[in-house]
Amino acid sequence: VSSSSTPGIMSMHEYQIVGRRKPTGTESTPIYRMRIFAHNEVVAKSRFWYFMNKLKKLKRGNGEILRFNEIFDTSPETIKNFQIALRYQSRTAQHNITKEFRALTRTSAVEQLLSDMAGRHRTTYRQIQIMEVKPVAVKDTVRANTQQFHDSKIKFPLPHRVLRAPSKRYATLFKAKRSSTHLG
C-alpha cells in the first residue's frame, strides 16, 4: 500500500481491466475493457464485476478477467486541467455532472473529486460512477475555480512573514521591540 499526501488515507490507483463472458462452444463473446479508479486491486476487480452486472448482466461466476494492469501517467511532473464526467446517487435521485480540477495526475484529480463530492454532496466512493477523466486545454475550461489559475502573472501574497535572524549568533529569545510581520 503506497502512502498518499494525506496521512491516514490510501492513495488512488487507476487500473485497466479486460474481461468477457466465459465462452461456451463455438460462439465468440465480446470483450469489455474498463478503467477503474480504486484504492487497491481487490476493490478494482469488485467494481469491475459490479459495473458489468449492471451494464451487461455479466457476473463473476460466468465471466473471466483476461487482463488486469495498473495505468500510470506519462507526465506526472506537469500540471494539467482535468474534466471529470460522473454519475452519482444522491438520497433522492441519480445525477450526471462534470467537474474540473487542476492536478499533476489523473489519480490525484480523482482524489480531489472524491474529497469535493464528500464535502459538497455527501457522496461516498461507492455511490460515484466515474465515466470519463480527460485533460482539457486552458481555453476549454469552464469553471471559474479552474480559470483563476490560468493567469501568467498570478501572485500569491504572503501576509504574515516572520523574519528570522540571519544566523544563530543573532537569534535571541527576547527582542527590544515587537516584530513587524506586515511587509506590504
Side-chain angles (χ1 to χ4, degrees), residues 1-21:
V1 177
S2 64
S3 62
S4 174
S5 58
T6 309
I9 297 176
M10 293 188 340
S11 64
M12 197 56 72
H13 300 274
E14 184 177 8
Y15 298 101
Q16 176 177 276
I17 305 173
V18 179
R20 68 175 178 183
R21 189 178 299 275

Side-chain angles (χ1 to χ4, degrees), residues 15 28 52 68-69 94 96 105 116 135 153 184:
Y15 298 101
S28 65
M52 289 306 292
F68 180 91
N69 58 335
Q94 286 243 347
N96 295 313
T105 62
D116 184 64
K153 295 182 175 72

Side-chain angles (χ1 to χ4, degrees), residues 85-88 94-98 129 131:
L86 66 129
R87 172 186 296 152
Y88 76 97
Q94 286 243 347
H95 306 281
N96 295 313
I97 60 171
T98 60
Q129 182 177 350
M131 306 290 197

Side-chain angles (χ1 to χ4, degrees), residues 95-110:
H95 306 281
N96 295 313
I97 60 171
T98 60
K99 287 192 166 284
E100 287 180 355
F101 298 98
R102 281 177 63 80
L104 294 171
T105 62
R106 292 164 55 93
T107 53
S108 61
V110 170

Side-chain angles (χ1 to χ4, degrees), residues 13-14 35 70-75 106:
H13 300 274
E14 184 177 8
R35 295 176 97 162
E70 187 172 351
I71 300 173
F72 299 98
D73 267 327
T74 54
S75 58
R106 292 164 55 93

Side-chain angles (χ1 to χ4, degrees), residues 1 8 11 18-19 43 58 60 71 81 99 106 132 149 159 181:
V1 177
S11 64
V18 179
V43 175
L58 177 60
R60 183 183 291 178
I71 300 173
N81 302 309
K99 287 192 166 284
R106 292 164 55 93
E132 183 181 27
F149 294 106
T181 59

Side-chain angles (χ1 to χ4, degrees), residues 81-85 98-101 109 132-136 140-143:
N81 302 309
F82 289 101
Q83 189 176 56
I84 302 176
T98 60
K99 287 192 166 284
E100 287 180 355
F101 298 98
E132 183 181 27
V133 178
K134 64 178 180 180
V136 292
D140 297 331
T141 56
V142 182
R143 308 278 187 256

Side-chain angles (χ1 to χ4, degrees), residues 7 31 35-36 43 49 67 77 84 88 94 105 164 170:
I31 296 174
R35 295 176 97 162
I36 304 279
V43 175
W49 290 118
R67 193 164 158 204
E77 62 279 341
I84 302 176
Y88 76 97
Q94 286 243 347
T105 62
R164 306 281 181 222
Y170 299 112

